[in-house]
Amino acid sequence: MTFKKFLPVALMVAATAAIYVIIAQYLKISALWLPFIGWPLYFLAGAKPSKLHKEIIGITGGILFAYVTLLILPIFSGLGSFALPTIVFFVSLIIVILELTDWFELAPAYFFAYASYFAYHFGGFGGPGATIFSNMLPVWILMMVGLGLGYISAFLKVKILEKEGLFGKDQNVMND
């Protein structure tokens, strides 16, 4: 892959990112950064539409695990400063064990969504009066926007490189 043939792909991704930010600013999306976490997840799973359901399950699961973490944290308060590490230990254990399954195997999606939910919640992006429950849907929607951006940019990458005369493995960059 040469720089000249790959430059249109880089420009397309840059334009897609900029257009998304313009739209997010117009819509006053406070956590406009969240889709930039969901976006690369599409590529971590091989940029295959057939893996989208696993990514959606992983993101949903990560957000649910984060919600449950905050929901049960008071129950573990007797452990003092070990309360959160104990819960995170068990959540991490479950997420990693889920890798042994077919549909629930994308641990990065769980962990990215888990951390993203905490950043959104504790960063106050839900606004005044937001709760651990009410913050779940906006995080999920913005992560889905990211998956959508990943799908679109992967599709356009293939089309651009085909116009450049590159097909199949010739579309891989040096590190693929």
Side-chain angles (χ1 to χ4, degrees):
M1 174 75 61
T2 65
F3 176 81
K4 183 179 177 183
K5 289 192 182 265
F6 196 67
L7 181 60
V9 172
L11 290 169
M12 174 272 299
V13 171
T16 302
I19 290 167
Y20 160 71
V21 170
I22 290 168
I23 293 168
Q25 287 176 328
Y26 176 78
L27 296 175
K28 305 211 182 313
I29 296 172
S30 62
L32 61 86
W33 50 271
L34 251 172
F36 288 100
I37 295 171
W39 192 338
L41 280 175
Y42 186 73
F43 292 91
L44 281 175
K48 297 177 183 173
S50 63
K51 299 257 183 153
L52 268 173
H53 68 283
K54 294 179 181 187
E55 295 168 49
I56 292 168
I57 289 169
I59 288 170
T60 304
I63 292 167
L64 287 171
F65 277 129
Y67 170 75
V68 170
T69 296
L70 294 180
L71 190 66
I72 67 172
L73 189 58
I75 297 168
F76 287 81
S77 64
L79 296 175
S81 62
F82 290 103
L84 185 59
T86 300
I87 297 169
V88 170
F89 172 85
F90 285 108
V91 167
S92 298
L93 180 67
I94 293 167
I95 289 171
V96 173
I97 288 173
L98 285 173
E99 287 187 295
L100 294 172
T101 70
D102 181 28
W103 278 52
F104 305 101
E105 67 182 326
L106 290 179
Y110 286 89
F111 284 117
F112 284 2
Y114 191 67
S116 296
Y117 174 86
F118 290 126
Y120 185 90
H121 180 73
F122 290 111
F125 290 97
T131 66
I132 62 171
F133 182 76
S134 68
N135 280 333
M136 291 171 57
L137 186 59
V139 172
W140 188 84
I141 289 170
L142 291 170
M143 294 290 281
M144 292 302 114
V145 168
L147 281 182
L149 291 169
Y151 177 83
I152 290 166
S153 59
F155 175 81
L156 292 175
K157 174 187 175 188
V158 169
K159 295 302 178 192
I160 290 168
L161 292 177
E162 284 175 353
K163 286 208 178 273
E164 296 279 341
L166 299 171
F167 298 90
K169 291 192 181 222
D170 290 338
Q171 292 188 353
N172 293 345
V173 292
M174 292 179 354
N175 299 319
D176 286 343

